[in-house]
Amino acid sequence: MSVNVGRRLKEAGIKWVEEDAENKDVYVPTDEMKEKAYFSDERIYAEANNNPEEFWAKQAKELIYWFDEWDADKVVNLEPPYFNWFVGNGTNLSYNCLDRHLEENRNKAAIIWEPEPEDEAHEVLTYMDIYREVNKFANVLKHLGVKKGSPVTIWMPMIPETAIAALACQRIGAWHSIVYTAFAPHAVRERMEDAGSKILITVDGFYRRGKIIELKKRIDEGEILEKVGAENCVVVRRANSEVGMKEGRDHYYDKLMKDAEAYCEPEVITSNDYGFLLYTSGTTGKPKAVMHSCGAYSVGVALTMKLVADLHPDDLFWSTADIGWITGHSYALYGPLLIGATVLWYEGAPDYPDVSRWWGIIEKYGVTIFYTAPTAIRALRAAGDEWIEGHDFSSLRLLASVGEPIDPDTWKWFFEKIGESRCPLVDTYWQTETGGILLSSLPGIGPFVPGVAGPALPGVRYDVLDANGEPVKQEESGYLVVKPPFIPSMLRGLYKNPEKYVEEYWSRYGTDTYFSGDGAIKTGMEIGGQTLIKVTGRIDDVMEVAGHRLGTAELEEVVQDLEEVVDVAVVGKQDAIKGEVPALFVVLEKGVEKSNEDMDREIVKAVRDKVGPVATPEVTYYVSDLPETESGKIIRRFLKGLVRNELLGDMTTARNPECLKELAEVTQYRGPQKIPGYTGTAHLGNE
Ligand code: WT7
């Protein structure tokens, strides 16, 4: 099968059109790609933007099955900063992902699962398979006391039961809160406490880089279930590793499933209900729970699946993102199943047993659409082209990237080596908060410009504003914002934290302008009257480490808690593979006897225990003072400039600018700013 698909699609693709003075390559889709794509006429932008509500209403009717139609005159109810789409609707995500495909596609593969151990057989789950298991598990959850609106914490890897658990929550209207497996048990605890979750679904263990990661054991070692007063813990047996099971509280998934009833009526989820919670890092303190809707979220996800991923029912879609992140939710689970396509899930690491694993998977199953992150592409590219040689990529017809800006070098390598210079490569910009893709060129319309995300989706009003809220001119930079009526898939609020919701997104420019937190440039290029945007990255204190969002404040809290630490500041340092890595500046207590190496070990341990391995600091600089404002606020922009060898900016804003000399020394600053007293040779060589 894959051979035929490959041959047919080989014709599709994109062609190179021009190279302008700035050496920007611009690509457009070929006629074959246009023919295949759902959307290939740029007039869609004008049509949708003339009347966004009508556009979204039309899409909503086509893409989603509604038990209750919404009020015809209430497509969106705007009460900034709150809004509600398709008011009066009733729907269910599990019904839309499963039940409605049964009649025609009962036996079609929904999820193809590739376990990490190569000697273990892959599994194919049909729509009927998942439907059956989801119904049963929904009944299990009900028996355990889970109701509509109950938070259910899931700490699970990329295995089929994770999809089943999430869809079972959707079926009964419970809110899943899925925690990334590379976070620490402590992070599970924080999220369970914050949400008031009384149930955890996890696994005995799973495979990662040839090792078994024992999740339940780690939960027990941290006494997490006791600390949060959990009433139930469901344990899926994946690795058959030894686990402790507490009578009455801990249950094996397979045992519960044995006696579960076969059918569970899907709950009607309305426009006033929520669909799920997902914790994400912000600018201060602890992660907060983004609340998503059900129906409006599904519309955004299903539409982008067609618009941007051009997902057809005969495609095999692979999003490499983990289910613990929004990309995993929207594009590894709900999106593909809403469309009735087939999605690939892979349990393990990209470089196990060697760095050709992903390329082998694409070839083995005939993946047609491949969605991944720049950090992964950079890592696989750095390993050397010999790992891709001999692999057959002819099944691929579209590539997509997400998580951070993809630099033109990486873009070209991905495009040429994996996409064989014929697959469009779309750079999709979005956030946990937007639920689905916000900016991207469309595969059948283009253009595809390395380093440039593209315009917003049709029907989305967006802009780049300066500090005063004025739109910037073409080729100038500012902050990316979204204007009313926003997009249906956007967050509905932050759970139990309305103040923070307003502060993070609606305070910079007022409540009718959504502030993304990202810097952006208007490129001067247009499609369908819409300006293509280049996103430059976060302007707040949020880092993107290997595409994973981390708040500097979160790490600071953990390190600050150590006895020897007086003060700490964390900034993102550039990294060739991971994009950004955490760099720490630490002021130690006077007279600490431990060596810096011992302190390093302690700090790394604390971070790994409290936040998780994803947040492991790259480097810690021990210094005697940190630059502060008169009011005692640490000036992070100096620290960022130092580790990135960039300009620091006006140093007179600091109460104690003299400390910068020492900081420049420890960081071996080589940037353009002159720092009084600092005579680092590297700096002088740079002048
Ligand atoms: C932040 C959101 C959306 C799923 C993955 C991350 C950055 C994301 C791009 C892109 C430039 C990007 C932004 C954004 N980002 N995609 N294509 N180009 N930047 O979700 O953890 O909520 O992080 O990721 O800075 O604000 P997230």
Side-chain angles (χ1 to χ4, degrees):
M1 175 211 107
S2 72
V3 176
N4 270 337
V5 170
R7 209 172 286 142
R8 182 161 50 77
L9 296 175
K10 205 159 187 141
E11 264 56 82
I14 77 177
K15 61 186 179 214
W16 180 88
V17 279
E18 66 174 89
E19 196 170 331
D20 68 17
E22 283 164 66
N23 206 16
K24 261 186 257 155
D25 295 333
V26 179
Y27 302 80
V28 295
T30 57
D31 292 343
E32 292 86 344
M33 184 67 209
K34 282 188 176 168
E35 233 159 78
K36 166 101 187 176
Y38 288 109
F39 299 91
S40 54
D41 187 341
E42 63 181 81
R43 280 175 302 188
I44 186 178
Y45 288 107
E47 262 167 49
N49 294 346
N50 278 343
N51 193 340
E53 294 183 24
E54 198 179 280
F55 171 75
W56 288 108
K58 181 169 165 267
Q59 300 300 335
K61 286 206 173 103
E62 267 173 38
L63 293 162
I64 301 297
Y65 178 83
W66 306 91
F67 302 126
D68 303 310
E69 286 278 342
W70 61 90
D71 307 342
D73 57 342
K74 286 248 180 75
V75 176
V76 60
N77 188 11
L78 287 172
E79 287 170 11
Y82 291 95
F83 45 85
N84 198 347
W85 283 81
F86 317 119
V87 182
N89 77 50
T91 187
N92 183 289
L93 244 175
S94 115
Y95 184 91
N96 273 287
C97 286
L98 303 171
D99 305 41
R100 76 181 163 135
H101 301 311
L102 291 186
E103 202 168 309
E104 286 179 13
N105 282 319
R106 192 162 53 251
N107 299 319
K108 178 176 175 172
I111 297 179
I112 297 177
W113 178 63
E114 167 92 349
E116 190 186 78
E118 284 192 300
D119 53 6
E120 202 179 315
H122 70 274
E123 277 177 31
V124 177
L125 288 96
T126 65
Y127 276 90
M128 187 65 200
D129 287 332
I130 301 182
Y131 170 81
R132 186 181 60 239
E133 301 304 302
V134 164
N135 272 276
K136 282 165 57 182
F137 195 56
N139 284 325
V140 165
L141 289 176
K142 275 188 178 171
H143 284 302
L144 296 176
V146 177
K147 296 190 177 65
K148 184 172 170 180
S150 306
V152 175
T153 306
I154 298 181
W155 199 37
M156 285 176 78
M158 293 302 282
I159 60 171
E161 288 82 356
T162 308
I164 291 163
L167 284 158
C169 288
Q170 292 296 343
R171 198 154 189 96
I172 60 175
W175 304 336
H176 55 64
S177 156
I178 307 182
V179 184
Y180 185 38
T181 50
F183 281 145
H186 182 81
V188 177
R189 172 185 172 182
E190 272 184 353
R191 286 156 177 76
M192 288 188 81
E193 275 172 353
D194 184 77
S197 167
K198 294 287 164 217
I199 176 166
L200 176 70
I201 308 173
T202 188
V203 287
D204 53 358
F206 72 101
Y207 292 90
R208 182 87 192 170
R209 234 165 244 128
K211 290 204 190 81
I212 295 178
I213 311 286
E214 296 176 289
L215 296 189
K216 173 62 163 68
K217 195 165 154 193
R218 296 179 60 204
I219 288 289
D220 288 345
E221 282 166 0
E223 298 179 351
I224 305 300
L225 298 170
E226 291 74 13
K227 285 175 184 158
V228 304
E231 286 155 13
N232 291 290
C233 177
V234 179
V235 182
V236 174
R237 277 191 256 228
R238 158 69 189 120
N240 289 315
S241 53
E242 190 92 19
V243 293
M245 297 291 281
K246 188 173 168 223
E247 184 74 36
R249 184 196 67 192
D250 300 349
H251 325 270
Y252 278 118
Y253 172 89
D254 49 309
K255 280 203 182 144
L256 294 171
M257 289 290 269
K258 244 189 225 138
D259 311 316
E261 309 90 278
Y263 180 71
C264 172
E265 185 79 21
E267 195 73 36
V268 178
I269 312 301
T270 74
S271 51
N272 292 325
D273 295 326
Y274 300 106
F276 62 87
L277 305 179
L278 182 57
Y279 282 81
T280 188
S281 301
T283 50
T284 48
K286 295 197 179 3
K288 53 210 166 19
V290 164
M291 287 194 291
H292 276 292
S293 62
C294 175
Y297 166 80
S298 324
V299 173
V301 169
L303 178 63
T304 46
M305 215 63 251
K306 290 178 110 174
L307 263 175
V308 184
D310 196 42
L311 185 67
H312 286 63
D314 61 344
D315 274 310
L316 176 57
F317 183 76
W318 185 17
S319 161
T320 62
D322 189 272
I323 191 74
W325 301 91
I326 190 71
T327 318
H329 286 57
S330 299
Y331 298 114
L333 181 59
Y334 296 126
L337 300 194
L338 281 168
I339 300 298
T342 307
V343 67
L344 190 115
W345 276 40
Y346 168 53
E347 175 182 36
D351 54 359
Y352 188 83
D354 63 48
V355 282
S356 71
R357 185 66 189 266
W358 277 9
W359 314 136
I361 293 175
I362 291 177
E363 178 174 354
K364 177 175 175 188
Y365 298 103
V367 171
T368 60
I369 304 171
F370 183 53
Y371 192 15
T372 190
T375 179
I377 306 166
R378 287 194 297 263
L380 295 173
R381 179 187 177 197
D385 286 2
E386 61 268 30
W387 297 104
I388 55 177
E389 272 154 29
H391 284 286
D392 180 2
F393 296 125
S394 61
S395 61
L396 289 172
R397 68 179 191 92
L398 177 61
L399 303 176
S401 163
V402 61
E404 60 182 297
I406 176 165
D407 57 284
D409 254 15
T410 307
W411 195 104
K412 281 192 189 152
W413 183 86
F414 191 31
F415 171 68
E416 282 166 16
K417 301 288 172 167
I418 310 303
E420 300 177 335
S421 301
R422 63 183 167 77
C423 303
L425 166 46
V426 290
D427 176 0
T428 69
Y429 163 90
W430 54 297
Q431 311 176 302
T432 304
E433 290 86 347
T434 63
I437 294 161
L438 181 68
L439 306 178
S440 176
S441 288
L442 306 183
I445 298 176
F448 317 106
V449 187
V452 173
L457 302 181
V460 178
R461 298 196 172 126
Y462 64 110
D463 211 336
V464 178
L465 305 183
D466 67 15
N468 302 320
E470 292 301 321
V472 305
K473 293 198 193 71
Q474 290 295 346
E475 311 203 3
E476 286 183 356
S477 64
Y479 308 131
L480 178 70
V481 301
V482 188
K483 296 284 206 173
F486 312 110
I487 46 173
S489 61
M490 251 166 66
L491 79 167
R492 292 280 301 278
L494 294 177
Y495 192 45
K496 295 184 184 163
N497 210 338
E499 301 83 24
K500 191 93 202 133
Y501 174 66
V502 173
E503 184 190 320
E504 292 257 327
Y505 313 109
W506 309 99
S507 58
R508 184 171 289 242
Y509 295 119
T511 52
D512 62 358
T513 304
Y514 171 80
F515 174 62
S516 68
D518 280 300
I521 300 172
K522 287 187 181 167
T523 60
M525 289 180 273
E526 279 192 1
I527 182 78
Q530 304 285 97
T531 300
L532 272 64
I533 302 291
K534 181 181 176 71
V535 177
T536 50
R538 307 287 311 190
I539 57 133
D540 52 19
D541 297 326
V542 174
M543 297 176 284
E544 284 286 333
V545 180
H548 297 142
R549 180 156 157 185
L550 277 176
T552 52
E554 236 173 299
L555 263 70
E556 285 168 5
E557 252 179 41
V558 170
V559 178
Q560 188 77 64
D561 269 358
L562 294 172
E563 224 184 276
E564 299 86 349
V565 172
V566 177
D567 212 351
V568 54
V570 177
V571 291
K573 181 176 183 214
Q574 284 147 325
D575 181 89
I577 303 287
K578 293 181 173 173
E580 262 186 314
V581 286
L584 275 51
F585 289 84
V586 169
V587 180
L588 292 177
E589 200 79 59
K590 290 244 156 51
V592 169
E593 295 198 344
K594 284 183 188 145
S595 67
N596 285 358
E597 289 72 32
D598 284 344
M599 275 316 301
D600 277 351
R601 265 191 291 277
E602 231 172 85
I603 289 173
V604 166
K605 185 174 183 309
V607 169
R608 292 177 74 100
D609 286 353
K610 293 269 164 63
V611 186
V614 275
T616 307
E618 172 75 13
V619 56
T620 301
Y621 303 110
Y622 297 95
V623 295
S624 48
D625 201 4
L626 292 172
E628 289 177 356
T629 59
E630 288 299 339
S631 58
K633 199 169 170 337
I634 293 173
I635 310 176
R636 270 201 200 70
R637 108 185 114 84
F638 290 166
L639 307 177
K640 231 175 168 172
L642 286 167
V643 301
R644 293 172 173 242
N645 293 310
E646 292 168 355
L647 275 174
L648 275 53
D650 182 2
M651 290 190 286
T652 60
T653 50
R655 174 186 62 74
N656 52 349
E658 64 287 350
C659 74
L660 288 169
K661 172 176 175 280
E662 183 198 3
L663 268 58
E665 274 158 12
V666 295
T667 54
Q668 299 181 348
Y669 178 64
R670 281 175 286 102
Q673 187 120 14
K674 197 137 181 44
I675 296 169
Y678 176 58
T679 54
T681 48
H683 163 70
L684 292 177
N686 216 19
E687 268 186 335

